[in-house]
Amino acid sequence: MAPITRIANLLLAAFIPALLGAGAATDSGPAPSFNRDIAPILYRNCSSCHRPGQVAPFALLTYKDAVKHAKQIATVTQSRYMPPWKAEPGFGQFKDERRLTDEEIATLRNWANNGAPEGDADNKRIPPKFVDGWQAGPPDRVVSMTDPVSLPAGGPDQFRCFVIPLGNESAQWVNKVEFHPGNRKVVHHAIIFLDATGEARRREKVPGQGYDCVGGPGLAISGGLGGWAPGATPTVLSEGLAITVAKSSDLVVQMHYHLSGKPETDQSSIGLSFTQDAPKKGMALVMAGNRRIDIAPGDDHFVVKASAELPMDAETLSIFPHAHYLCKDMKVDAHLPDGSVKPMIWIKDWDFNWQGAYRYETPLKLPKGTRIEMEYTFDNSANNSRNPSNPPTRVKFGEQTTNEMAFTFISVSLDDPADVPEFQRDMSAHFIADMIDGGSDDSGLDPKRVAQMKATFNFFDKNKNGKLDPEEKQALIEFLKKQNVRL
Ligand code: HEC
């Protein structure tokens, strides 16, 4: 740093507290100081992302870092914009919850309002040391994107799917997955899918270069290995659980890049650990969603509902709600056969940029016949600051950022691994039937898939009234089950 700017910074650091000092203390007790009160809060809740080389725009490690942002810290913690954590307390209890207490928020506010003092040097804490290696221990196998990908300095966010062939000669059981972003300045999030069909390889025209994919990998996925967003912890499955990776599978990694202002490259990797013991419990995916999305410009309260019924007893492991930019509010509840309702998640201020899987602290036990009900609300008005279209335009279901989606994926465990195929067959048949029954417009989707869905719809709409009556839908579900059509 040139001496002149260093001096300017020192002057600023000295003056900003004085300027902020205009506000009087609002709460009783001695004014909080950085060294004694603020540093522990920041180190515990903020510095993992707010440090050099990470996704956050500035570091929060030293007094000098923090004092420059004192007011802003008070504002973004008061509104709970930071630390990023979207799930409302009391609606599902999740692991690794990032949430400040009301007291911590008040302390940050009082500090800012009282001139943001540094405090007694005797109380000074040592900033935490972050391990940038494998958090869950050394993995058995590390795979990377085949080639580094070059990203431009600026432009809209990029969504690309990269194929990583595993070349495993037999099925394997994965019990730990850790995603390592190659370049944390640009990797905003990643979702890892499994493909045992070779379809993703066909889409990736130049091996290693990936293909555009916003909503999803655009293929019949064979499963998933979780995801990553800044601050995420590795997936470590509990004893007796494992994800089965079919022979010769490919990983399909959907990368969301947020460009940094400078040209960058990225080559992210994934650490996998395997278990030799056959899983004692099964893992399956509950899916709910529908394509009936058609939001008029200006409509600030468009509601999408969908449900899924459990064909067997299951216990929840994690929940992954998914929509694009217009979604505001997401609520998922489990309606048990005894009439009771268990809240599964509630996100009141959905932000596409902070999507991810929420892992349950204690699994919810859901008996056979439980109905999972989701209700998502979308705001397609100009008041929605996240609206990608200005002025707003009509928005329909599809995979582009300017289309919308409404899905809930819930990972569950089943007591007997032998039950998984039947569970998944039933779940997929219902889910695909809901997709086929999803209205006639399909902007943004692969035309071949749309034509297939339309033909299937027309075949099962026996009385040609343009909709699937309950018995017609049941016939479609039975057909899909028999064909063992998988998502
Ligand atoms: C999981 C990563 C993560 C954690 C944890 C985190 N931040 Fe951030 N923070 C970000 C990112 C990314 C941005 C920039 C993008 C944005 O504004 O959403 C940001 C932006 C900010 C901003 C600027 C907001 C603006 O309006 O420009 C402030 C202030 C901030 N964070 C304070 C905090 C504080 C205080 C904490 C801890 C209580 C915290 N952050 C925890 C990732 C994080």
Side-chain angles (χ1 to χ4, degrees):
M1 199 189 288
I4 187 77
T5 36
R6 197 179 316 140
I7 292 163
N9 276 344
L10 285 173
L11 282 175
L12 270 179
F15 271 116
I16 286 172
L19 291 173
L20 292 172
T26 43
D27 295 30
S28 55
S33 79
F34 179 82
N35 287 343
R36 191 188 55 218
D37 310 287
I38 303 304
I41 300 178
L42 300 185
Y43 293 167
R44 208 169 39 243
N45 299 286
C46 319
S47 309
S48 61
C49 297
H50 285 269
R51 62 192 164 100
Q54 298 291 318
V55 67
F58 49 85
L60 287 175
L61 287 168
T62 62
Y63 176 64
K64 222 173 106 190
D65 294 336
V67 72
K68 277 187 277 188
H69 298 282
K71 274 277 179 217
Q72 210 187 3
I73 290 171
T75 310
V76 299
T77 51
Q78 185 70 50
S79 67
R80 293 195 180 277
Y81 179 62
M82 287 286 146
W85 181 262
K86 293 289 157 188
E88 278 299 299
F91 296 81
Q93 244 205 329
F94 301 105
K95 285 185 184 154
D96 305 317
E97 191 183 49
R98 278 195 301 262
R99 212 182 146 74
L100 297 179
T101 62
D102 290 343
E103 203 187 338
E104 288 168 325
I105 293 172
T107 304
L108 292 166
R109 186 180 59 230
N110 286 339
W111 178 64
N113 285 344
N114 283 288
E118 180 165 15
D120 207 333
D122 289 351
N123 291 327
K124 204 164 170 162
R125 319 275 164 132
I126 300 162
K129 287 246 179 305
F130 291 94
V131 190
D132 280 326
W134 299 102
Q135 288 177 53
D140 295 334
R141 182 172 177 195
V142 178
V143 292
S144 299
M145 285 158 54
T146 329
D147 295 306
V149 49
S150 300
L151 298 159
D157 286 12
Q158 298 202 359
F159 298 86
R160 289 188 75 70
C161 281
F162 296 90
V163 181
I164 305 176
L166 289 178
N168 52 319
E169 280 161 13
S170 56
Q172 286 182 304
W173 296 310
V174 171
N175 63 359
K176 264 197 241 171
V177 184
E178 184 166 347
F179 178 87
H180 247 210
N183 182 344
R184 287 168 188 261
K185 278 180 272 175
V186 284
V187 178
H188 205 294
H189 79 251
I191 304 173
I192 311 163
F193 300 94
L194 286 165
D195 175 27
T197 66
E199 170 66 19
R201 282 191 212 184
R202 284 188 283 278
R203 284 181 175 241
E204 189 182 53
K205 296 202 174 69
V206 185
Q209 287 307 297
Y211 59 94
D212 285 337
C213 65
V214 174
L219 46 98
I221 52 171
S222 319
L225 290 180
W228 181 90
T233 49
T235 302
V236 180
L237 295 174
S238 47
E239 186 73 38
L241 280 173
I243 302 164
T244 305
V245 177
K247 178 177 173 246
S248 303
S249 285
D250 292 339
L251 297 186
V252 184
V253 190
Q254 185 198 36
M255 302 290 298
H256 171 183
Y257 290 116
H258 191 67
L259 306 175
S260 75
K262 287 194 204 127
E264 305 270 1
T265 58
D266 171 58
Q267 189 169 21
S268 292
S269 15
I270 296 156
L272 302 171
S273 293
F274 305 97
T275 168
Q276 303 311 319
D277 306 326
K280 292 190 187 66
K281 286 184 169 192
M283 282 178 74
L285 194 65
V286 175
M287 305 169 283
N290 84 42
R291 286 193 301 142
R292 290 186 183 278
I293 303 180
D294 182 359
I295 321 174
D299 186 346
D300 64 3
H301 195 85
F302 184 87
V303 177
V304 175
K305 291 185 187 178
S307 66
E309 193 173 312
L310 298 190
M312 300 169 194
D313 294 358
E315 288 187 20
T316 60
L317 298 170
S318 64
I319 185 163
F320 189 123
H322 180 75
H324 293 175
Y325 290 98
L326 295 184
C327 190
K328 277 301 207 196
D329 189 288
M330 302 173 143
K331 216 165 175 196
V332 185
D333 296 321
H335 294 249
L336 275 56
D338 68 5
S340 63
V341 178
K342 286 189 188 174
M344 297 193 72
I345 195 164
W346 186 17
I347 293 177
K348 284 208 278 196
D349 181 28
W350 164 255
D351 183 344
F352 178 80
N353 286 327
W354 288 112
Q355 63 180 310
Y358 291 81
R359 294 182 210 136
Y360 288 95
E361 181 74 58
T362 17
L364 301 178
K365 285 187 195 315
L366 304 177
K368 172 182 174 171
T370 296
R371 229 174 42 257
I372 308 291
E373 296 206 347
M374 59 177 260
E375 184 172 322
Y376 291 4
T377 310
F378 297 79
D379 178 355
N380 190 17
S381 72
N383 292 333
N384 182 355
S385 58
R386 298 192 182 109
N387 198 331
S389 304
N390 181 19
T393 54
R394 183 162 222 103
V395 172
K396 292 175 179 173
F397 178 88
E399 287 178 353
Q400 301 305 310
T401 356
T402 46
N403 298 133
E404 267 305 335
M405 284 202 173
F407 288 124
T408 307
F409 302 104
I410 302 165
S411 162
V412 296
S413 69
L414 308 181
D415 272 343
D416 186 350
D419 286 339
V420 172
E422 175 56 27
F423 185 100
Q424 215 57 66
R425 184 159 40 236
D426 185 277
M427 193 49 70
S428 299
H430 280 89
F431 182 76
I432 294 168
D434 283 346
M435 290 300 121
I436 291 172
D437 189 21
S440 57
D441 191 282
D442 308 287
S443 56
L445 284 191
D446 175 8
K448 229 170 66 197
R449 274 168 72 199
V450 174
Q452 266 174 2
M453 285 200 276
K454 226 171 247 172
T456 315
F457 179 95
N458 289 338
F459 181 82
F460 283 91
D461 180 19
K462 295 287 181 210
N463 60 9
K464 302 291 166 226
N465 67 348
K467 56 181 187 187
L468 292 183
D469 301 324
E471 39 319 335
E472 291 170 346
K473 184 129 173 208
Q474 198 50 45
L476 169 61
I477 291 168
E478 291 310 322
F479 167 80
L480 293 168
K481 267 209 237 179
K482 225 178 263 144
Q483 299 290 311
N484 197 9
V485 178
R486 296 277 302 269
L487 181 74

